[in-house]
């Protein structure tokens, strides 16, 4: 993509409304634009990052065996009246009346909707287990939307819903998701901290939240620093002791924190008290929705069995902010390669110089041919402005073409994360980037 033809409305100044670094950087890098409180448009660069995050989430959900569906954002109130949550949910729910005076709502979550789909089509224990997920916009009329996409009112969530015949297999489904979540967040370059959590308005008695440690996080965590050693590849979701294995590491939100247990179980040197950003939460809640809504299957002995359910959320749009909180420096964002909106920024330092244009155009053509996602700064701007822009948007690599390099037959390759620079022949640079 040529920057001259792109839409990248960078801001020079720090926007005064942004209190945390990810919000500041997302605005300055032209990724998002606020529409109203807690509601954002995603501009081209931001949308590319959001799609990258979404795709990793999708791949790991698919790998876990969950089936992708797409449910609507607008739901009928009757479904929520059936589960009993219509009145409980309170002012966070955006209630809408259609032209026929029917009560509708903009979904804050989809337990009722998926249970309705399930009960209409799945009638036998033989069709279980099942896990359905979708990646869809949600609306919660938060009292205090803040920190940009971190606590929005409209936000993108991946939510999955599992259906099982009994508690044992429902808990297996729960820990399968636990493993999928660890893999998902690690692929994004994060160090997820899974903690025991309260279930809140979703309900149930088993829940974990997944956090990214950050001083700007809204949650307070107490954990054993060894929790980062938890290796999801060694968790067997079907084992009877899986809960004990995971409980082996002390990690809890402040609501679930037990100071006495913390002191007995965790040596002082490993006790951590830190803030975290909640990027996902999983719940096992048994028959909380299946019973009132009649999601019942016929069991092996022809007996009716209300199905055992769990639900599993990931804050897809929040993750974009969380990844930036975890990866930035004074100059701007530092994207992990897996979620970077482009892999490479190609910079022509002299937009008016025929030799530079020819060399940069040729590199650009080769990079495109090799399928390397490149943002090509071909604008007529000062070198300083170009370097600052590239550092701000934080693509993993920068390839710089300038007149002095051309005289020597070299280009400069810079790694954004380490700041390491290297002069290479154009061929060697393409090689390094895997384009040859
Ligand atoms: N139905 C369940 C699981 S599918 C559920 O709604 N869980 S949740 O309430 O924990 O939300 C799932 C994830 O969405 C959270 O872990 C968080 O990462 C994200 N999220 C929740 N509220 C917001 C918000 N206001 N802005 C951005 N992300 C949010």
């Amino acid at each position: 993509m040529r920057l001259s033809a792109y839409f990248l409305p960078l801001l020079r100044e720090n926007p005064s409304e942004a209190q945390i670094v990810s919000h500041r950087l997302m605005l300055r890098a032209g990724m998002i634009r606020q529409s109203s409180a807690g509601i954002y448009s995603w501009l081209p660069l931001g949308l590319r990052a959001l799609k990258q995050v979404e795709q990793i989430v999708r791949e790991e959900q698919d790998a876990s065996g969950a089936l992708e569906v797409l449910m609507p954002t607008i739901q009928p109130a009757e479904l929520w009246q059936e589960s009993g949550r219509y009145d409980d949910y309170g002012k966070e729910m955006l209630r809408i009346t259609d032209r026929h005076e029917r009560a509708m709502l903009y979904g804050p979550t989809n337990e009722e909707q998926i249970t309705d789909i399930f009960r209409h089509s799945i009638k036998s224990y033989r069709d279980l287990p099942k896990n359905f997920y979708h990646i869809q916009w949600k609306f919660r009329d938060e009292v205090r939307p803040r920190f940009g996409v971190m606590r929005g009112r409209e936000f993108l969530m991946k939510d999955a819903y599992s259906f099982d015949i009994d508690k044992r297999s429902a808990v297996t489904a729960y820990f399968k998701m636990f493993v999928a979540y660890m893999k998902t967040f690690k692929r994004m370059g994060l160090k997820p901290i899974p903690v025991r959590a309260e279930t809140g308005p979703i309900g149930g008695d088993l829940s974990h939240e997944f956090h990214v440690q950050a001083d700007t996080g809204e949650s307070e965590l107490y954990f054993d620093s060894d929790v980062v050693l938890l290796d999801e590849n060694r968790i067997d979701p079907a084992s009877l002791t899986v809960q004990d294995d995971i409980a082996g590491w002390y990690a809890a939100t402040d609501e679930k924190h037990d100071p006495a247990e913390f002191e007995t179980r965790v040596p002082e040197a490993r006790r951590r008290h830190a803030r975290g950003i909640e990027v996902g939460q999983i719940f096992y809640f048994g028959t909380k929705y299946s019973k009132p809504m009649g999601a019942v299957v016929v069991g092996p002995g022809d007996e009716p069995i209300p199905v055992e359910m769990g639900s599993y959320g990931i804050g897809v749009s929040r993750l974009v902010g969380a990844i930036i909180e975890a990866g930035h420096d004074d100059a701007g964002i530092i994207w992990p390669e897996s979620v970077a909106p482009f892999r490479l920024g190609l910079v022509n330092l002299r937009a008016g110089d025929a030799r530079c244009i020819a060399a940069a155009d040729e590199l650009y053509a080769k990079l495109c041919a090799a399928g390397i996602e490149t943002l090509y700064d071909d604008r007529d701007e000062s070198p300083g402005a170009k370097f600052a822009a590239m550092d701000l948007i934080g693509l993993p690599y920068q390839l710089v073409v300038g007149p002095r390099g051309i005289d020597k037959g070299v280009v400069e390759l810079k790694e954004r994360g380490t700041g390491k620079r290297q002069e290479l022949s154009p061929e060697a640079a393409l090689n390094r980037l895997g384009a040859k």
Side-chain angles (χ1 to χ4, degrees):
M1 174 58 64
R2 282 176 186 266
L3 195 41
S4 58
Y6 204 50
F7 179 60
L8 189 67
L10 301 179
L11 304 179
R12 262 178 232 286
E13 306 296 327
N14 275 328
S16 57
E17 73 268 29
Q19 300 162 32
I20 64 170
V21 68
S22 58
H23 188 195
R24 235 173 3 245
L25 289 173
M26 287 181 79
L27 291 170
R28 285 195 50 209
M31 292 176 64
I32 52 169
R33 197 181 154 77
Q34 185 175 310
S35 164
S36 59
I39 304 181
Y40 290 85
S41 295
W42 290 76
L43 306 184
L45 189 78
L47 184 61
R48 286 182 76 107
L50 183 68
K51 294 278 174 198
Q52 297 278 76
V53 168
E54 183 182 331
Q55 188 55 23
I56 292 179
V57 171
R58 175 174 289 114
E59 286 170 15
E60 292 300 330
Q61 290 295 296
D62 291 344
S64 81
L67 305 169
E68 185 168 9
V69 295
L70 184 57
M71 292 179 269
T73 54
I74 307 287
Q75 304 178 25
E78 290 96 66
L79 281 180
W80 287 65
Q81 283 153 352
E82 272 192 68
S83 73
R85 277 207 296 183
Y86 190 62
D87 296 325
D88 294 355
Y89 223 90
K91 287 199 160 183
E92 275 205 3
M93 184 188 276
L94 181 63
R95 293 154 209 260
I96 302 164
T97 310
D98 74 7
R99 67 195 301 163
H100 306 293
E101 299 296 319
R102 282 193 203 104
M104 313 287 286
L105 57 100
Y106 195 121
T109 176
N110 289 67
E111 279 81 2
E112 286 79 357
Q113 185 95 65
I114 195 74
T115 305
D116 183 52
I117 292 170
F118 180 94
R119 69 181 172 184
H120 277 103
S121 306
I122 298 189
K123 310 281 187 191
S124 163
Y125 77 98
R126 288 197 191 85
D127 297 324
L128 300 180
K130 281 278 177 296
N131 196 332
F132 298 103
Y133 77 97
H134 74 162
I135 301 175
Q136 177 63 291
W137 293 90
K138 304 290 187 289
F139 194 93
R140 294 182 184 173
D141 205 351
E142 302 271 352
V143 191
R144 280 219 300 161
R146 58 182 188 155
F147 299 163
V149 299
M150 231 32 128
R151 180 163 297 279
R153 292 199 296 165
E154 190 180 52
F155 58 98
L156 189 60
M157 192 202 284
K158 183 287 299 180
D159 36 328
Y161 303 89
S162 64
F163 298 87
D164 284 88
I165 191 67
D166 55 24
K167 177 164 182 185
R168 165 120 196 250
S169 92
V171 169
T172 300
Y174 178 95
F175 283 106
K176 251 194 203 171
M177 268 301 147
F178 186 106
V179 169
Y181 275 36
M182 295 295 284
K183 289 185 177 164
T184 301
F185 300 131
K186 286 187 182 178
R187 276 184 65 186
M188 296 173 189
L190 299 169
K191 293 196 190 91
I193 305 172
V195 301
R196 282 186 267 159
E198 288 289 352
T199 52
I202 308 292
D205 49 19
L206 174 60
S207 180
H208 281 87
E209 290 174 4
F210 294 79
H211 283 264
V212 174
Q213 204 182 320
D215 293 340
T216 50
E218 292 189 285
S219 314
E220 216 175 319
L221 313 176
Y222 294 84
F223 59 96
D224 181 339
S225 59
D226 271 4
V227 75
V228 295
L229 303 177
L230 185 65
D231 178 1
E232 64 281 359
N233 297 307
R234 293 178 54 188
I235 297 172
D236 173 6
S239 107
L240 284 171
T241 59
V242 62
Q243 284 200 57
D244 299 337
D245 296 346
I246 288 169
W249 280 270
Y250 186 98
T253 60
D254 52 350
E255 292 146 330
K256 284 274 181 186
H257 178 53
D258 176 345
E261 191 191 339
F262 195 38
E263 283 188 21
T264 355
R265 288 197 25 214
V266 186
E268 195 171 353
R270 297 207 320 243
R271 283 180 216 149
R272 298 286 181 279
H273 175 201
R275 302 195 73 82
I277 301 165
E278 181 204 312
V279 289
Q281 183 166 10
I282 59 179
F283 305 83
Y284 160 68
F285 45 70
T287 56
K288 175 173 170 170
Y289 301 90
S290 58
K291 267 197 181 146
M293 294 185 69
V296 174
V297 295
V298 175
D302 267 359
E303 71 284 24
I305 303 175
V307 290
E308 293 273 329
M309 292 176 61
S311 75
Y312 315 92
I314 290 185
V316 177
S317 48
R318 175 180 287 183
L319 267 167
V320 176
I323 291 166
I324 296 174
E325 287 293 323
H328 66 268
D329 61 15
D330 289 345
I333 302 169
I334 302 174
W335 291 110
E337 281 203 41
S338 59
V339 293
F342 293 90
R343 180 144 177 257
L344 174 79
L346 173 64
V347 179
N348 175 6
L349 282 185
R350 284 271 175 84
D353 179 311
R355 283 192 316 155
C356 287
I357 294 173
D361 280 1
E362 190 183 335
L363 274 170
Y364 181 54
K366 289 184 173 161
L367 289 160
C368 291
I372 294 183
E373 294 179 328
T374 302
L375 185 61
Y376 174 16
D377 190 349
D378 59 343
R379 299 169 307 162
D380 189 9
E381 288 276 348
S382 72
K386 292 191 171 194
F387 288 135
M390 274 302 161
D391 281 352
L392 174 62
I393 67 173
L395 308 179
Y397 297 97
Q398 300 170 14
L399 193 56
V400 181
V401 178
R404 257 177 300 159
I406 289 187
D407 288 341
K408 292 196 284 177
V410 296
V411 290
E412 187 181 79
L413 183 64
K414 176 178 154 184
E415 269 177 40
R416 175 66 179 89
T418 59
K420 225 172 71 188
R421 296 157 193 277
Q422 214 180 348
E423 288 198 333
L424 299 164
S425 70
E427 287 67 36
L430 288 169
N431 243 326
R432 267 291 307 284
L433 294 161
K436 278 208 155 173

